[in-house]
Amino acid sequence: DYQCRSLVFRGWGTGEESFSYSTDSTRTPVIARPFRNVSAATPVNDSLVISAPGLNRTGSLAIAGSSEVYGGDIAIRQRWMSGLGGVVEVLYGYQHMRLNEDLSISSSTLELPNAIDVRDYFDAENEFHGGQIGLATRYREGCWSFNGLIKIAGGSMRRTAFREGSTTIGPPSTTTPEGLLVRGSNAGTVRDSTFGWVPELDATLGYRYTQNLDFTIGYHLVAMTDALQVSGMIDPQLAVNTDYPTGPASPSNGLRFDTFHVHGIHFGLQYVY
């Protein structure tokens, strides 16, 4: 009568996914980064020219970024109903999830006699802690089985945005703490907290190959609401005011939040004893 409750620990992660892009004057003669110049009375489209044969400029551009998401939970599962080869359990407990992203954009320009290095760096961190509640199901019919999970967690979402820029001109070398899209109007660290949700769905189909061994395939979805990503840290208009603090505060220091999703298909072996 008392064998109807279990304590389940889970941990998962996608690993760190990274990407990069680079080019230079030998492969791409004209390299430029566009932006919207709002330092003048009339806004105009402008660009940071990194390489251009007509201007006697040569240079290179490098872009690198990464994304990492992982989580885990502890839940008590209590049998709610059973029969006809199936079991439905109610689960409740603690949920954790973390999302980290970063992006670096660096350029180097040689315009004799000067070398100009410009760098923008963005880093976003999200950390969720909360309570969860949901349902877990198990059903078997002959050689086939189905496991399902649906739950939602609600709790504290802590977000951190870090933006840093730099421009180095020389010789002699002098460095200012402003890049192209990170300048005095938006550089630095911003932290805040809000209430967020982490819903999760999993559906797994299994086939019993032997008396104790099942092959499984399934679909998994987990989401994080009100998440901060690198894309939400960049001024959506690519606006730049080189005269700041005179005039508009651009690039904007504002942050944009959205729901982050992780979709996955999983394959596995399940040994039942």
Side-chain angles (χ1 to χ4, degrees):
D1 292 340
Y2 294 95
Q3 297 176 358
C4 59
R5 183 179 297 174
S6 61
L7 181 64
V8 179
F9 299 83
R10 296 190 315 153
W12 59 269
T14 63
E16 182 177 342
E17 295 294 328
S18 59
F19 66 90
S20 62
Y21 169 81
S22 64
T23 189
D24 57 34
S25 305
T26 61
R27 291 175 288 172
T28 310
V30 177
I31 307 172
R33 292 179 59 189
F35 65 95
R36 185 166 174 259
N37 191 343
V38 296
S39 57
T42 303
V44 296
N45 294 326
D46 208 337
S47 62
L48 170 65
V49 179
I50 300 167
S51 174
L55 299 177
N56 294 320
R57 292 186 186 181
T58 59
S60 61
L61 173 70
I63 303 172
S66 67
S67 179
E68 180 183 32
V69 58
Y70 58 87
D73 61 70
I74 303 172
I76 295 175
R77 296 193 181 190
Q78 173 71 48
R79 181 180 297 180
W80 180 27
M81 61 179 66
S82 61
L84 301 177
V87 176
V88 179
E89 298 174 318
V90 176
L91 65 89
Y92 51 92
Y94 161 78
Q95 169 83 44
H96 169 69
M97 184 174 175
R98 188 175 179 93
L99 166 65
N100 302 324
E101 287 191 348
D102 65 73
L103 175 67
S104 175
I105 308 173
S106 302
S107 65
S108 180
T109 301
L110 180 60
E111 184 180 15
L112 295 177
N114 291 322
I116 306 171
D117 296 325
V118 180
R119 179 176 182 265
D120 292 325
Y121 179 74
F122 304 86
D123 184 82
E125 297 181 359
N126 302 265
E127 187 171 4
F128 174 86
H129 298 273
Q132 62 174 340
I133 187 169
L135 297 174
T137 64
R138 302 192 306 272
Y139 177 77
R140 181 173 294 277
E141 180 69 34
C143 293
W144 295 95
S145 64
F146 174 81
N147 288 7
L149 172 70
I150 182 170
K151 66 184 185 70
I152 187 167
S156 171
M157 173 77 75
R158 292 187 294 178
R159 303 174 294 204
T160 303
F162 175 71
R163 289 174 281 209
E164 181 181 60
S166 66
T167 299
T168 302
I169 303 176
S173 180
T174 59
T175 300
T176 58
E178 293 188 330
L180 176 63
L181 300 180
V182 181
R183 305 181 69 83
S185 58
N186 67 338
T189 302
V190 178
R191 295 185 176 92
D192 74 345
S193 296
T194 189
F195 188 89
W197 299 95
V198 175
E200 184 176 348
L201 171 69
D202 188 276
T204 303
L205 184 66
Y207 178 76
R208 175 156 290 183
Y209 183 69
T210 68
Q211 182 177 354
N212 302 99
L213 184 65
D214 285 9
F215 291 105
T216 65
I217 181 174
Y219 167 76
H220 181 255
L221 166 67
V222 62
M224 173 187 282
T225 66
D226 302 291
L228 173 65
Q229 296 182 255
V230 165
S231 57
M233 300 170 60
I234 300 174
D235 189 309
Q237 302 297 322
L238 297 182
V240 175
N241 177 15
T242 57
D243 296 332
Y244 182 81
T246 302
S250 297
S252 169
N253 193 43
L255 301 173
R256 302 182 307 281
F257 310 102
D258 204 351
T259 300
F260 178 83
H261 300 84
V262 179
H263 300 266
I265 296 176
H266 55 82
F267 307 89
L269 297 174
Q270 178 175 284
Y271 185 80
V272 182
Y273 60 92

